[in-house]
Amino acid sequence: MTEAVHTQRVFSGIQPSGNLTLGNYLGAVKRFVEMQDSGIETIYCMVDLHAITVWQDPATLRKNTHELAAAYIACGLDPKKSILFNQSQVSAHAELGWIFNCVARLGWMNRMTQFKDKAGKNAEKVSLGLYAYPSLMAADILAYKATHVPVGEDQKQHVELTRDIANKFNHDFGTDFFPEPEPVIAGAATRVMSLRDGTKKMSKSDPSDMSRINMTDDADTIAKKIRKAKTDPEPLPDTLEGLEGRPEARNLINIYAAISNQTPEQTLAQFAGQQFGQFKPALVDLAVAHLAPISAEMARLMSDVAEIDRILGDGANRAAAIADPILDDVKDIVGLIRSRS
Ligand code: TYM
């Protein structure tokens, strides 16, 4: 069988579960903007169906979805260039997600490290949705036959599972219908770490707000968090090897590099030999100059949620126009009758 050539298309998503962090920005949204501006078709989603795999207060979920949309736009996503929408408005995601629940194997799901981390010792009490979540994520991507998926390091395993699902579907039905999408894990900050502990991922769910920079933080808060970030007493080295065993130093260098579009090596060349007393003020200036306008623009956009709803509605129509015919083809391949007029 000759392999089908799949047109390049980018899909990615973020959960509207509040507290969008600098990790989400550097690991994901900043990459989304770069891919949008590279001329490939780009589709970016607020994955509200993923968010409800853990309890969400309904009013807060709505607000967080609006806020995430505002963040996308404030960071440079343009609703004219990219398709921006919330997942639940396009039913193809949930329908294809079910079909993929019947393709994915239990053994594959049992290997998902994020489920193990999130469920912890409480695995009997978490929702079935949390367990099935990676198969819905595969549906998000493959409902558009997306070929490229920009994500942070922590989502790599889920994109690999998506490839396994695409491959098994193709194999089971003797087709080359789905592409095997590539994770795009790029830039200097694919895994931004906590400001309080350089061995832990920066996360929206960390109980300490000082561990993360939120995209809604104002200039003073950003400055305070960076000034208080954990460091060590050594000066900055001149090579990456010199950062080994110094996770906090490595993290701050990666953050500086990612915000300023440098490599970590270039950042080190600039600051080698300096103490954190000199480096931190430079990082504060850079972070504030870059992030404060984004949070100000988010606040401005949030004052008109009707406009955000209009953008999401338009995006959902455009997304459905791509996904619905793909889902129809999947139903035909699987043998599900479609006879409604
Ligand atoms: P979520 O909402 O947890 O995170 C959104 C994106 O941010 C990245 N990220 C980070 N990158 C670097 N450093 C960090 N500390 C950090 N924290 C988060 C994540 O890797 C992700 O790219 N399952 C996904 C959402 C999703 C999705 C999809 C993504 C659902 N369907 C389809 C891509 C394609 C999630 O929970 O990401």
Side-chain angles (χ1 to χ4, degrees):
M1 186 170 43
T2 52
E3 255 186 45
V5 178
H6 294 286
T7 320
Q8 290 206 339
R9 184 177 277 153
V10 174
F11 181 94
S12 197
I14 296 183
Q15 295 194 51
S17 43
N19 283 339
L20 192 72
T21 69
L22 183 65
N24 298 130
Y25 175 63
L26 296 177
V29 189
K30 196 161 182 291
R31 302 268 90 70
F32 296 0
V33 178
E34 288 160 8
M35 295 189 100
Q36 162 187 273
D37 295 339
S38 76
I40 311 176
E41 183 176 20
T42 44
I43 306 174
Y44 298 122
C45 190
M46 285 121 252
V47 290
D48 47 10
L49 295 175
H50 278 89
I52 61 167
T53 56
V54 298
W55 170 250
Q56 303 290 333
D57 169 72
T60 311
L61 176 61
R62 258 188 295 274
K63 173 182 165 276
N64 287 339
T65 307
H66 285 138
E67 196 167 271
L68 180 55
Y72 275 5
I73 298 164
C75 290
L77 291 180
D78 176 347
K80 290 201 193 67
K81 291 191 196 157
S82 292
I83 296 179
L84 308 180
F85 71 108
N86 60 310
Q87 184 186 26
S88 60
Q89 292 210 69
V90 180
S91 60
H93 293 243
E95 290 189 60
L96 188 60
W98 180 260
I99 293 172
F100 285 167
N101 283 346
C102 303
V103 173
R105 306 288 94 182
L106 272 190
W108 302 357
M109 308 313 277
N110 287 337
R111 284 203 298 274
M112 295 297 113
T113 56
Q114 196 166 67
F115 176 77
K116 290 184 206 163
D117 291 348
K118 285 197 177 171
K121 292 193 191 70
N122 221 10
E124 296 280 314
K125 296 266 171 64
V126 299
S127 73
L128 181 55
L130 189 69
Y131 187 68
Y133 159 128
S135 133
L136 178 61
M137 176 160 160
D140 299 338
I141 297 166
L142 293 172
Y144 303 90
K145 293 191 172 179
T147 53
H148 293 82
V149 186
V151 282
E153 182 67 43
D154 64 337
Q155 294 299 320
K156 186 167 182 229
Q157 194 184 33
H158 292 159
V159 183
E160 281 164 358
L161 180 90
T162 302
R163 295 168 62 88
D164 290 342
I165 290 176
N167 198 11
K168 180 161 163 54
F169 180 96
N170 286 348
H171 180 265
D172 288 353
F173 294 100
T175 170
D176 53 8
F177 186 73
F178 284 122
E180 286 185 35
E182 297 278 344
V184 181
I185 301 174
T190 56
R191 189 171 173 83
V192 179
M193 308 308 278
S194 156
L195 299 179
R196 309 302 284 169
D197 176 352
T199 64
K200 263 174 53 188
K201 192 182 72 171
M202 181 180 285
S203 158
K204 55 180 96 172
S205 56
D206 192 311
S208 164
D209 195 54
M210 292 300 284
S211 70
R212 62 177 162 264
I213 292 174
N214 302 306
M215 297 306 287
T216 46
D217 285 345
D218 61 17
D220 287 347
T221 312
I222 296 171
K224 185 174 81 188
K225 288 178 175 176
I226 292 175
R227 275 200 300 272
K228 296 221 158 137
K230 185 173 169 203
T231 49
D232 59 43
E234 302 296 316
L236 285 163
D238 53 7
T239 62
L240 279 185
E241 292 77 62
L243 288 173
E244 262 164 41
R246 301 176 64 187
E248 286 82 16
R250 170 89 225 212
N251 188 38
L252 294 183
I253 291 292
N254 284 351
I255 292 174
Y256 190 101
I259 299 179
S260 58
N261 298 320
Q262 291 182 335
T263 62
E265 288 87 344
Q266 287 170 320
T267 304
L268 280 180
Q270 203 177 327
F271 292 101
Q274 295 192 18
Q275 298 287 344
F276 283 100
Q278 292 159 288
F279 174 67
K280 275 187 171 177
L283 180 57
V284 167
D285 287 349
L286 177 76
V288 167
H290 195 86
L291 301 177
I294 296 178
S295 71
E297 178 64 2
M298 278 173 72
R300 193 188 68 78
L301 292 163
M302 281 298 280
S303 66
D304 188 0
V305 291
E307 172 62 8
I308 294 179
D309 282 342
R310 198 197 56 72
I311 290 169
L312 297 183
D314 176 62
N317 284 335
R318 286 155 63 204
I322 301 171
D324 289 351
I326 291 176
L327 180 67
D328 284 349
D329 287 348
V330 171
K331 288 179 178 171
D332 292 344
I333 291 171
V334 173
L336 304 170
I337 291 172
R338 296 188 294 117
S339 57
R340 279 176 73 180
S341 44

